[in-house]
Amino acid sequence: MTQFNFRFQKILDLKENEKGFAQIQMAEAIKQHEVGHQQKRMIQKKISDAELLKNAKQQSGVNISELRMLEDYIYQLQGQSLSSERELEHLQKKVSASQGVLQEKAKEEKTWENLKQQKLTHFQEENKAAEQSFFDEMASTRFYRLAKANNLAEGT
């Protein structure tokens, strides 16, 4: 019996590699997105801590320059928060894009895998038919020999 050889195996291997690379890129994008969320949470915590400190200082009575510095610090943190929000939007778009690429690569790989499966099924059916033909030929040859031997035995 002959070995099955898929003509497009190298293309299928390439598609599998592309899909694997797309999975790695998507995982990296998700990781960056999560880091962005952590940074945003950290900035929000700093803002709330600074607001609490400012309120406590206002209650205890502190000089105006220190309050002004706290206000400037809070304003700076709010700017960082806006920047972080924009970065998160960018990272979310990156995650979505990498997800789309991954879906496309998975679809391409599945197409080639289905073609390979169809070719394998066809190959197996052809082998089965050839094997059946071989056995039929052997059976008819044997029948012919037995019939000839019986005729010779009867004729003597």
Side-chain angles (χ1 to χ4, degrees), residues 10 88 95 105:
K10 288 186 179 186
L88 274 176
V95 167
K105 297 301 179 185

Side-chain angles (χ1 to χ4, degrees), residues 4 9 15 31 49 61 76 78 97 100 116 119 121 125 128 140 142:
F4 174 69
Q9 185 62 45
K15 296 302 177 184
K31 184 178 172 184
D49 289 348
Q76 178 187 4
Q78 288 171 340
K116 180 180 180 179
K119 295 290 185 183
T121 302
E125 288 171 358
K128 189 175 180 181
S140 66
R142 185 169 183 224

Side-chain angles (χ1 to χ4, degrees), residues 62-144:
V62 73
N63 65 18
I64 194 84
S65 64
E66 197 172 332
L67 282 175
R68 182 60 112 172
M69 285 185 352
L70 272 172
E71 283 288 334
D72 289 344
Y73 178 63
I74 291 170
Y75 182 75
Q76 178 187 4
L77 288 174
Q78 288 171 340
Q80 287 179 359
S81 179
L82 286 173
S83 176
S84 175
E85 190 66 39
R86 284 191 294 273
E87 180 67 19
L88 274 176
E89 289 172 10
H90 170 72
L91 291 172
Q92 181 59 45
K93 287 178 184 176
K94 192 174 178 182
V95 167
S96 297
S98 64
Q99 189 176 27
V101 168
L102 176 59
Q103 288 173 343
E104 183 64 31
K105 297 301 179 185
K107 183 179 172 185
E108 289 174 6
E109 182 209 15
K110 187 73 174 168
T111 300
W112 287 100
E113 189 62 45
N114 286 341
L115 178 63
K116 180 180 180 179
Q117 190 59 45
Q118 289 172 0
K119 295 290 185 183
L120 176 61
T121 302
H122 182 69
F123 174 79
Q124 289 170 337
E125 288 171 358
E126 283 182 346
N127 273 354
K128 189 175 180 181
E131 189 177 283
Q132 186 62 45
S133 175
F134 174 75
F135 286 133
D136 289 347
E137 183 67 29
M138 283 183 59
S140 66
T141 303
R142 185 169 183 224
F143 177 76
Y144 175 73

Side-chain angles (χ1 to χ4, degrees), residues 8-90:
F8 304 111
Q9 185 62 45
K10 288 186 179 186
I11 294 173
L12 177 59
D13 292 343
L14 175 69
K15 296 302 177 184
E16 288 172 351
N17 288 341
E18 287 176 349
K19 179 183 155 195
F21 183 68
Q23 286 174 328
I24 291 169
Q25 284 182 318
M26 183 171 163
E28 184 63 31
I30 290 171
K31 184 178 172 184
Q32 288 175 353
H33 190 256
E34 183 56 37
V35 167
H37 271 294
Q38 289 173 353
Q39 287 175 345
K40 181 163 174 37
R41 284 191 293 270
M42 189 175 68
I43 291 169
Q44 292 299 326
K45 182 172 179 1
K46 285 182 180 180
I47 290 173
S48 76
D49 289 348
E51 289 283 348
L52 289 174
L53 181 62
K54 181 184 95 172
N55 290 338
K57 294 243 183 209
Q58 282 177 338
Q59 296 296 323
S60 66
V62 73
N63 65 18
I64 194 84
S65 64
E66 197 172 332
L67 282 175
R68 182 60 112 172
M69 285 185 352
L70 272 172
E71 283 288 334
D72 289 344
Y73 178 63
I74 291 170
Y75 182 75
Q76 178 187 4
L77 288 174
Q78 288 171 340
Q80 287 179 359
S81 179
L82 286 173
S83 176
S84 175
E85 190 66 39
R86 284 191 294 273
E87 180 67 19
L88 274 176
E89 289 172 10
H90 170 72

